[in-house]
Amino acid sequence: MVLDIVVIVLYILLMLGVGYWGYRRTKSHSDYLVAGRRLGTFMYASTLSALVLGGASLVGGIGLGYKWGISGAWLVTAIALGVLLLSALLAKRLTKLRIYTVSQMLDLRYGGRSAGFSGTVMFLYTFMLAVTSTLAYATVFHVLFGWETWVGILVGGVVVVLYSSLGGMWSITITDMAQFIVTTVGVFAVLLPMALINAGGYDAIVTRLGDSFASPFAIGGSTIVTYIVIYTLSLLIGQDIWQRVFTARTPAIAQRGGIGAGVYCLVFGIVGAIIGMAAHALLPDLEKPDQAFAAIVEATLPHGIRGLVLAAGLAAMMSTASGALIAASTVFTADLLPLMFRRFRGNAVDAAAGTSAEDAGHGDEFGLRGFRGSMMVIGAAVVVTAMSLDSVVGALTIAYNILVGGLLVPIIGGIVWKRATRIGAYAAIIAGAVAVIVGMLIWGDLANEPIYVGLGASAIAFVIASLVSKPTPEAVMTEWRQRLARGDHDDLSLDTATVAAGQFEHLATETVPKR
């Protein structure tokens, strides 16, 4: 146990050290929010993988493998499909827009301001995602130290909030890359071979458990479809994912690196399911499938090595939590605070956005302090919420449903359909959200029907309202087309200072015709 504790403590100290390094490196809002848009292919792919493969993918994926066999890989497969679709179809366009939030994309494409609703929904979604990841810390700390849940949440939460708030996206990027390496080594090079060796190999596992565990569809068609609808579609429009896409140095890197991350996630899902099958063969009497990860680690690995693999689990949870935390903070500070204080005026960027045009690119401390303060406050709220709840699955499902049902159609529709209008987007958001909420009242929070009804209502309202309303003003479409006209290999980090100074007021004024 001493070796395990030493490994975990060293890992935590490394994360805090990286947070301080990020603090020293961060000089502008672009650095803090999107790592200066300077990530190359490997760093981008590794950090995107670390973000999407959180505690649900590791602990939940192994648990599904324990219960269903190889078909338990469908949860992570749905996540991988989302990453692949986003990277192949949307990533280049998103990076060319030079934005920070999903609401800014809607404003840029349609004109007007959408942050009141879209920002609120996105904030609640990212906040609850951070809460669920924070709750997962307790499983690792309980195995190691026998701590109560609230103690594990407090310790893990403080570490994540500190390193995330100090250096912003730079700290998160470097820690995510370290966490990617730790997770890859711990799961692929240590846990998988040890689990297979102890269980007698894959063929012996299938023989012991039965042929259904080798079927890719044993989990059921309806479950597979639900995973794809909820996880794949939400990855196309989530602020936490988009914000990581914005860190790529060029549009080509965003596409190439993202496809690499998607392939990695596919393999990770299969590996997790196999580890779960091995756990079932060795430990068939676990009370809950989600105990399979900690149980197989304890049963097959020696001390010291066990600490490495538990650190891998901790790394997966921290990566998702830190990504969700900075996403929630960015949406709150860039989208919601300006609505509260009405400070989108003139040439000065409001306190949420940071600095004036004259001070652009010089790391104005007022703006950076504002972002850091917001991150710390929201991080504290995440920790307190996680400590006060045993489970937030219902709340997270509600956020997922409203996010996908209300925002997927206007976001994707605005990118692919030229005739889409602001009225159509608003109609889609309202119709989708209302339909999802009514559906949850009728069928229940965890039912599948609400999301399908919401998507259908949103699509119908979007098309009809766009066709009967006036086309989007030419000034708005011209700005949209000009941004998309950037080359696939243009270095997006070169004009960081200009964007840091003018992004927010530019979206609020120049792209919206006077009325």
Side-chain angles (χ1 to χ4, degrees):
M1 287 299 292
V2 173
L3 286 174
D4 295 340
I5 293 170
V6 168
V7 171
I8 295 292
V9 170
L10 289 176
Y11 171 76
I12 290 174
L13 291 176
L14 173 64
M15 297 301 100
L16 294 176
V18 169
Y20 180 73
W21 176 90
Y23 172 79
R24 297 293 300 272
R25 186 181 178 91
T26 300
K27 303 298 182 183
S28 70
H29 305 106
S30 181
D31 287 340
Y32 196 83
L33 298 180
V34 291
R37 307 185 195 270
R38 285 181 286 199
L39 300 194
T41 302
F42 175 74
M43 186 176 287
Y44 173 79
S46 61
T47 58
L48 181 60
S49 300
L51 172 67
V52 299
L53 295 175
S57 300
L58 182 62
V59 178
I62 290 176
L64 287 172
Y66 183 93
K67 183 176 181 180
W68 296 103
I70 200 67
S71 69
W74 274 106
L75 171 65
V76 182
T77 298
I79 293 172
L81 290 175
V83 175
L84 288 170
L85 287 174
L86 175 71
S87 302
L89 304 179
L90 301 178
K92 284 185 177 180
R93 297 182 182 183
L94 294 179
T95 54
K96 292 176 182 180
L97 295 178
R98 301 302 306 274
I99 53 177
Y100 292 112
T101 70
V102 174
S103 295
Q104 289 172 10
M105 173 265 160
L106 292 172
D107 294 349
L108 182 63
R109 170 59 179 83
Y110 295 112
R113 295 176 183 172
S114 64
F117 182 83
S118 61
T120 300
V121 171
M122 197 62 71
F123 173 76
L124 292 175
Y125 159 70
T126 52
F127 182 88
M128 294 310 299
L129 184 60
V131 169
T132 56
S133 300
T134 303
L135 272 170
Y137 301 151
T139 61
V140 175
F141 289 118
H142 178 73
V143 171
L144 267 179
F145 309 116
W147 287 351
E148 295 290 336
T149 299
W150 71 270
V151 178
I153 290 172
L154 181 62
V155 172
V158 167
V159 171
V160 171
V161 172
L162 279 177
Y163 80 68
S164 300
S165 59
L166 281 174
M169 188 60 82
W170 267 122
S171 294
I172 292 171
T173 295
I174 301 303
T175 53
D176 278 0
M177 190 167 68
Q179 289 160 351
F180 170 81
I181 294 171
V182 170
T183 302
T184 300
V185 172
V187 173
F188 286 81
V190 178
L191 185 56
L192 174 64
M194 291 299 292
L196 286 175
I197 290 170
N198 280 271
Y202 183 80
D203 291 339
I205 293 172
V206 173
T207 300
R208 191 179 308 177
L209 299 181
D211 291 340
S212 65
F213 274 71
S215 169
F217 305 108
I219 198 170
S222 62
T223 299
I224 294 172
V225 172
T226 299
Y227 283 159
I228 292 174
V229 170
I230 293 178
Y231 294 104
T232 302
L233 297 184
S234 65
L235 278 168
L236 297 179
I237 59 174
Q239 170 67 27
D240 52 329
I241 308 300
W242 278 31
Q243 197 159 345
R244 201 57 59 95
V245 172
F246 300 152
T247 64
R249 187 171 65 248
T250 69
I253 287 173
Q255 183 179 71
R256 182 172 62 245
I259 291 174
V263 172
Y264 176 89
C265 292
L266 282 173
V267 177
F268 190 95
I270 296 171
V271 167
I274 293 173
I275 293 172
M277 293 169 63
H280 195 140
L282 291 171
L283 307 163
D285 299 322
L286 295 180
E287 292 182 6
K288 298 179 180 178
D290 282 349
Q291 296 173 346
F293 168 66
I296 192 72
V297 168
E298 188 171 7
T300 62
L301 301 181
H303 292 297
I305 300 299
R306 183 185 302 176
L308 173 65
V309 176
L310 288 175
L314 191 62
M317 299 165 197
M318 284 186 167
S319 296
T320 301
S322 60
L325 178 59
I326 194 172
S329 175
T330 301
V331 170
F332 180 78
T333 311
D335 289 339
L336 300 181
L337 277 183
L339 292 179
M340 300 176 188
F341 294 104
R342 307 290 184 182
R343 296 193 54 187
F344 274 120
R345 292 196 183 100
N347 292 324
V349 181
D350 64 287
T355 185
S356 66
E358 292 78 9
D359 294 325
H362 298 288
D364 177 82
E365 286 302 313
F366 173 75
L368 291 178
R369 281 199 300 268
F371 276 112
R372 288 193 178 103
S374 173
M375 183 99 74
M376 288 183 177
V377 170
I378 292 173
V382 166
V383 171
V384 170
T385 303
M387 290 170 61
S388 63
L389 297 175
D390 292 327
S391 174
V392 290
V393 173
L396 184 61
T397 301
I398 293 172
Y400 266 116
N401 285 345
I402 296 177
L403 174 72
V404 174
L407 295 183
L408 178 72
V409 170
I411 290 173
I412 304 302
I415 292 175
V416 302
W417 189 30
K418 295 180 180 179
R419 185 60 178 82
T421 68
R422 181 163 62 95
I423 300 300
Y426 287 167
I429 292 172
I430 294 171
V434 170
V436 163
I437 293 171
V438 172
M440 288 189 291
L441 291 175
I442 295 174
W443 290 292
D445 297 347
L446 302 181
N448 298 330
E449 290 83 358
I451 189 64
Y452 302 133
V453 172
L455 284 172
S458 181
I460 294 171
F462 181 68
V463 172
I464 293 176
S466 291
L467 291 176
V468 301
S469 58
K470 293 181 179 180
T472 303
E474 186 58 31
V476 175
M477 292 305 299
T478 298
E479 175 68 18
W480 175 262
R481 288 191 293 267
Q482 286 176 348
R483 297 202 182 198
L484 291 178
R486 297 176 187 270
D488 290 346
H489 297 280
D490 286 353
D491 190 331
L492 300 177
S493 67
L494 294 179
D495 56 344
T496 290
T498 302
V499 175
Q503 178 71 55
F504 294 94
E505 73 274 23
H506 178 71
L507 287 175
T509 57
E510 294 182 16
T511 63
V512 184
K514 300 292 184 182
R515 290 180 175 83

